[in-house]
């Protein structure tokens, strides 16, 4: 990271208009969604999309999610079948990404899809994110606004710490309320496949469109990922992550969940939710991982999280944070 900082843009009409103009001319602009801060670029501009990969240090086989304000804008770039339309009506705007066939006349940069014939698309619900999209008048490619594989940003300061002047502007919309990336569902085949769990739960999707399969990881020689967040090592702090810990060593940071007054150990301790609330835990996850990582501990020990509801998505992120790094 450099010592230079991006320009911080307020969320008043003049600031939002400036952010939209910057995106339209090919600049990188970080902006809030309800999930995490996105690193936005005009998805129809090859050079702008390429600059996302450069800023993040991102493998170019990892596709990007394209953000649109609504279903109508989504249908201009992707083919929505009955399942996709029903899901969009129910969950958009919101934290659900749909992987769909890309329209040949979409105008999207091929870099967005990393060589695939599909595109990952969603409509965020954050009012500031919506305003930025509408101000730009473009579909916006926007992965999380951090270096590739690192902990995702949920505040403007996280963006600045991770990217510095690799991004020209940060629209300062406060803390992201959900705090975990979107659920990703692949609808390019006959059987829907859950590629990444998130705030829209598998059970909610199945109530609408019936049974779905769950992505189990890439076998040797398999195709490249269809969406972000499928690489095995991802969302990782600098310190090693140790899961299902019931105590922490003196040189470990300790990430706890639920009442922990009888839990011992740890150089530094943060609690995802003292009340055991999974929504609160999800909103705090990335910010707490960042804070503990900055303490310089050799490892972060993490208490078990219930693997139900939003806990499925939390455990997915923690497992990837703890995975061996290439």
């Amino acid at each position: 990271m450099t010592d230079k900082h991006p320009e911080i843009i307020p969320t008043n009409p003049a600031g939002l208009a400036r952010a939209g103009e910057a995106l339209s001319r090919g600049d990188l602009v970080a902006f809030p969604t309800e999930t995490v801060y996105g690193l936005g670029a005009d998805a129809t501009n090859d050079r702008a999309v390429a600059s996302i990969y450069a800023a993040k240090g991102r493998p170019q086989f990892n596709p990007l999610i394209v953000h649109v304000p609504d279903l109508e804008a989504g249908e201009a770039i992707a083919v929505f079948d009955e399942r996709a339309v029903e899901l969009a009506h129910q969950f958009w705007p919101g934290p659900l990404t749909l992987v769909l066939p890309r329209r040949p006349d979409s105008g999207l940069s091929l870099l967005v899809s990393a060589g695939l014939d599909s595109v990952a698309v969603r409509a965020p619900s954050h009012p500031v994110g919506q305003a930025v999209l509408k101000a730009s008048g473009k579909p916006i490619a926007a992965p999380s606004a951090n270096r590739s594989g690192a902990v995702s940003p949920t505040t403007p300061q996280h963006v600045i710490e991770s990217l510095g002047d690799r991004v020209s502007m940060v629209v300062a919309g406060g803390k992201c309320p959900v705090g975990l990336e979107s659920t990703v569902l692949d609808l390019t085949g006959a059987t829907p496949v859950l590629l990444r769990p998130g705030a829209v739960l598998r059970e909610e999707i199945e109530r609408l469109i019936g049974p779905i399969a769950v992505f189990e990881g890439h076998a040797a020689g398999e195709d490249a990922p269809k969406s972000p967040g499928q690489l095995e090592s991802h969302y990782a702090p600098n310190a090693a992550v140790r899961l299902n810990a019931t105590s922490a060593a003196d040189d470990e940071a300790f990430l706890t969940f639920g009442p922990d007054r009888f839990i011992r150990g740890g150089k530094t301790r943060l609690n995802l939710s003292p009340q055991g609330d999974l929504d609160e835990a999800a909103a705090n996850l990335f910010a707490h991982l960042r804070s503990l990582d900055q303490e310089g501990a050799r490892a972060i020990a993490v208490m078990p999280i219930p693997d139900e509801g939003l806990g499925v998505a939390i455990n997915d992120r923690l497992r990837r944070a703890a995975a061996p790094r290439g």
Side-chain angles (χ1 to χ4, degrees), residues 37 47 54 94 120 123 130 135 146 157 160 167 170 174 180 191 196 204 219 221 239 246 252 259 274 284:
Y37 270 74
R47 291 178 66 89
Q130 278 280 326
N146 57 276
Q157 185 61 31
I160 294 168
V167 56
V170 178
L180 282 177
T191 301
R196 181 177 74 184
E204 295 177 293
T246 55
E252 289 183 311
N284 287 330

Side-chain angles (χ1 to χ4, degrees), residues 160-186:
I160 294 168
E161 290 171 355
S162 189
L163 293 178
D165 66 352
R166 296 184 184 93
V167 56
S168 62
M169 296 179 178
V170 178
V171 181
K175 182 180 177 181
C176 301
V178 174
L180 282 177
E181 295 87 354
S182 61
T183 302
V184 181
L185 185 70
D186 181 6

Side-chain angles (χ1 to χ4, degrees), residues 2 10-11 19 27 49-50 67 75 85 91 151 169 172 193 220 222 236 254 268 280 295 302 304:
T2 71
T11 58
D27 291 351
V49 174
H67 292 65
E75 289 181 316
V85 170
F91 296 114
V151 180
M169 296 179 178
V193 180
E222 235 176 47
F254 203 4
T268 307
E280 181 182 21
E295 295 295 322
V302 184

